[in-house]
Amino acid sequence: MNITASSSSLSPVQEVHPVRDWRPGSWRQYEALQQASYPDEKALGAALAKLADLPPLVTSWEILSLREQIAEAQAGRRFVLQGGDCAENFAECSSPLITNRLKVLLQMSLVLVHGLQMPVVRIGRFAGQYAKPRSSDTETRDGKTLPSYRGDLVNSIDFSEEARRPDPDRLLQAHAYSARTMNFVRSLVDGGFADVHHTEYWDLSWLEHSPLADEFHKLTESLGQSLRFMETITGRDVGSLRRVDFFTSHEALHLPYEQAQTRQVPRQWGWFNLGTHFPWIGMRTAGLEGAHVEFFRGLRNPVGIKIGPGVSREWLIGLLEKLNPGREPGRMVLIHRMGEAQIESRLPPLIRAVQDSGSPVLWVSDPMHGNTESTGDGIKTRRFHKIMREMELAFDIHRDNQSRLGGVHLELTGENVTECTGGARDLSDEDLKRDYKSTVDPRLNYEQSLEMAMLIVRKHSLNAA
Ligand code: PEP
Ligand code: CO
């Protein structure tokens, strides 16, 4: 079993030539949606200048290695697992939270590697996921109206004038928290995370509650055997065999922050956003003539685009033309988030549009964001069976349209929170009141995340049979 694949064995991605008429700040000539409005322009300028001087969070060669791995995934030889919090916050930059999140992602990836029989590209929604788009610029409570909370990158969630005022110092803090997260993740990954590779240490008590308990038991037993076999023949701990790759991603929403971390590097042409390996454009800011698309046009990073049910064929073709005119492999990742009720009608025409364009893309399913609803008590939640149904439909629709689903994008945490209902333990609306921590979107908890990984494997094998 191939636990990790060496990226050095890959052929380098061929890229055409640098983008013309683009500068890291050329987005300023376009309309930028969802931006914070800072009362003190001078303080903002000073913070951005400082940010532009700080060392980068990632390197150009890591970014290029991810591009190669995405190109491999486009060719059907890898699967992408992208996951993490809806929003990170500064207060939760702590050892147990980071460790548990990394653990669940690694455990899920082992389940996927074993079940799909291919290497998995692991991308965390972390080390920079601090900015959030909002449906309204302001929030009113008891007759008082204040700016909306836009994520810890911009302001504080507390409801006071002072807390909600956009504070440029937070841009520097976000860089520092991202660096702390990144540093700890790199150390954990370097250390091999040995116990993650022993399925007997995993908490699988939830499994008994699943109607698929027998099947899932067999799956974990067979995974455990494969890992033990690897250790036996190599005489070494699997975790220490080779350093696993872990990439970071976030929604590159706050354009001044992203621009300040966009740099040129020696012996490479073009510009890299060195604040993350894999920035994505959210659904609300993906307008063809908007500032976000302009900013992304000049980056050499792989680019994620969230695709919602409102997207047209013309828009998608225009977007591919703009962001990937050279039709380079490894560049474009389309993350669809239609909702289980809409995916069957919305996705097939877009798959055809991409096929007609001849542009290489990696299709990834985000089964979370189209399935958000409120309970009778007004609690934001997502139903596990709907998330699962959208994920399963995504596999089927791609297969039936001669396309391929090459990855999943999930909002999850390594904690046992109660934010999404359902799953093996069948969490109810009442359970949501017990351990609901998210200040933004509801996440799959540890158990639900592992269950989702097993369901992906199950769906994949059913379709392959
Ligand atoms: C998100 O990923 O948290 C998000 C806001 O997604 P979308 O842009 O797809 O709504
Ligand atoms: Co979200």
Side-chain angles (χ1 to χ4, degrees):
M1 187 171 101
N2 190 1
I3 300 291
T4 57
S6 152
S7 49
S8 59
S9 63
L10 302 174
S11 56
V13 168
Q14 294 298 318
E15 291 179 77
V16 190
H17 43 66
V19 181
R20 296 186 198 290
D21 311 322
W22 181 93
R23 303 290 302 159
S26 56
W27 61 268
R28 291 178 190 275
Q29 285 142 36
Y30 297 77
E31 188 188 10
L33 298 177
Q34 297 282 346
Q35 300 303 291
S37 153
Y38 290 88
D40 186 345
E41 284 277 334
K42 228 173 114 192
L44 174 64
L48 292 172
K50 174 76 190 147
L51 196 56
D53 272 346
L54 289 173
L57 297 166
V58 304
T59 62
S60 60
W61 58 90
E62 290 167 347
I63 290 171
L64 293 175
S65 156
L66 176 60
R67 267 190 78 137
E68 286 170 10
Q69 295 192 26
I70 289 175
E72 289 265 314
Q74 286 172 346
R77 294 193 292 272
R78 282 171 191 260
F79 191 80
V80 168
L81 170 65
Q82 186 180 13
D85 289 310
C86 180
E88 293 172 280
N89 57 57
F90 297 167
E92 288 186 351
C93 182
S94 71
S95 169
L97 287 169
I98 296 171
T99 309
N100 289 340
R101 189 172 51 208
L102 203 64
K103 256 190 190 168
V104 72
L105 283 168
L106 275 173
Q107 291 182 358
M108 290 169 79
S109 74
L110 290 175
V111 168
L112 293 172
V113 168
H114 179 70
L116 309 183
Q117 292 287 304
M118 68 173 84
V120 167
V121 187
R122 305 169 189 84
I123 307 177
R125 267 180 79 114
F126 55 55
Q129 178 53 18
Y130 291 115
K132 293 310 295 174
R134 304 315 305 240
S135 47
S136 167
D137 281 345
T138 56
E139 181 183 345
T140 301
R141 282 190 209 171
D142 303 325
K144 188 171 169 182
T145 300
L146 292 175
S148 292
Y149 170 60
R150 290 189 174 276
D152 277 13
L153 184 66
V154 173
N155 54 8
S156 155
I157 194 154
D158 299 338
F159 196 74
S160 73
E161 210 155 304
E162 158 104 25
R164 289 293 173 92
R165 188 179 307 127
D167 176 2
D169 186 54
R170 286 179 167 270
L171 303 172
L172 296 167
Q173 289 182 51
H175 180 276
Y177 281 113
S178 300
R180 290 165 184 143
T181 304
M182 196 74 221
N183 178 57
F184 191 44
V185 166
R186 288 189 196 277
S187 306
L188 288 171
V189 164
D190 267 347
F193 236 127
D195 61 334
V196 170
H197 297 91
H198 289 259
T199 49
E200 61 273 26
Y201 300 147
W202 294 12
D203 177 4
L204 295 172
S205 53
W206 58 272
L207 239 157
E208 309 307 327
H209 302 272
S210 165
L212 298 170
D214 285 350
E215 206 177 316
F216 287 167
H217 264 308
K218 283 197 194 110
L219 197 154
T220 43
E221 260 166 38
S222 140
L223 168 60
Q225 276 167 9
S226 297
L227 293 164
R228 279 194 297 279
F229 177 70
M230 283 274 287
E231 290 194 344
T232 311
I233 55 169
T234 59
R236 286 163 66 194
D237 180 315
V238 193
S240 69
L241 284 181
R242 195 181 288 145
R243 191 190 146 161
V244 298
D245 284 329
F246 230 109
F247 298 100
T248 64
S249 70
H250 67 251
E251 178 174 351
L253 181 69
H254 191 298
L255 292 174
Y257 179 76
E258 302 297 329
Q259 181 189 337
Q261 300 186 76
T262 297
R263 323 249 170 102
Q264 287 177 303
V265 299
R267 287 175 296 284
Q268 288 285 356
W269 61 265
W271 296 80
F272 293 84
N273 182 342
L274 299 177
T276 187
H277 300 113
F278 180 46
W280 80 82
I281 308 185
M283 189 186 70
R284 291 165 190 77
T285 50
L288 263 190
E289 300 306 323
H292 288 81
V293 169
E294 170 60 18
F295 175 69
F296 274 66
R297 195 167 67 85
L299 302 179
R300 284 192 69 196
N301 303 60
V303 166
I305 312 281
K306 290 289 204 90
I307 308 272
V311 160
S312 69
R313 175 187 167 89
E314 292 67 38
W315 175 88
L316 189 51
I317 290 174
L319 187 90
L320 294 174
E321 200 42 52
K322 219 166 198 171
L323 291 178
N324 194 17
R327 300 182 181 186
E328 295 158 16
R331 162 75 168 166
M332 298 297 302
V333 180
L334 301 179
I335 308 166
H336 51 74
R337 32 88 80 224
M338 302 292 175
E340 53 94 33
Q342 298 213 63
I343 186 168
E344 286 167 289
S345 60
R346 303 289 173 174
L347 186 56
L350 300 180
I351 294 176
R352 276 192 292 280
V354 169
Q355 286 165 342
D356 292 347
S357 79
S359 204
V361 307
L362 180 71
W363 288 105
V364 168
S365 164
D366 164 359
M368 312 294 293
H369 285 88
N371 296 310
T372 314
E373 57 186 87
S374 283
T375 65
D377 293 325
I379 303 174
K380 210 178 183 187
T381 192
R382 288 163 173 157
R383 315 286 183 196
F384 190 88
H385 69 272
K386 290 192 179 179
I387 300 170
M388 175 180 135
R389 180 160 165 76
E390 179 161 353
M391 179 275 292
E392 292 183 343
L393 283 169
F395 273 105
D396 290 345
I397 294 167
H398 281 285
R399 183 198 55 181
D400 296 346
N401 288 276
Q402 294 75 52
S403 175
R404 177 177 173 270
L405 184 70
V408 288
H409 179 118
L410 299 168
E411 284 187 344
L412 56 82
T413 169
E415 309 302 303
N416 265 326
V417 298
T418 57
E419 297 173 3
C420 294
T421 62
R425 285 193 203 270
D426 200 17
L427 297 182
S428 66
D429 284 8
E430 213 39 47
D431 290 322
L432 299 181
K433 296 175 185 158
R434 202 174 62 235
D435 236 325
Y436 196 105
K437 301 256 171 61
S438 176
T439 52
V440 273
D441 288 339
R443 304 159 294 178
L444 297 174
N445 63 23
Y446 169 75
E447 300 180 344
Q448 291 168 327
S449 301
L450 260 192
E451 186 175 359
M452 192 52 69
M454 293 186 191
L455 286 166
I456 291 167
V457 164
R458 180 167 197 270
K459 181 64 190 163
H460 190 265
S461 9
L462 284 175
N463 280 6

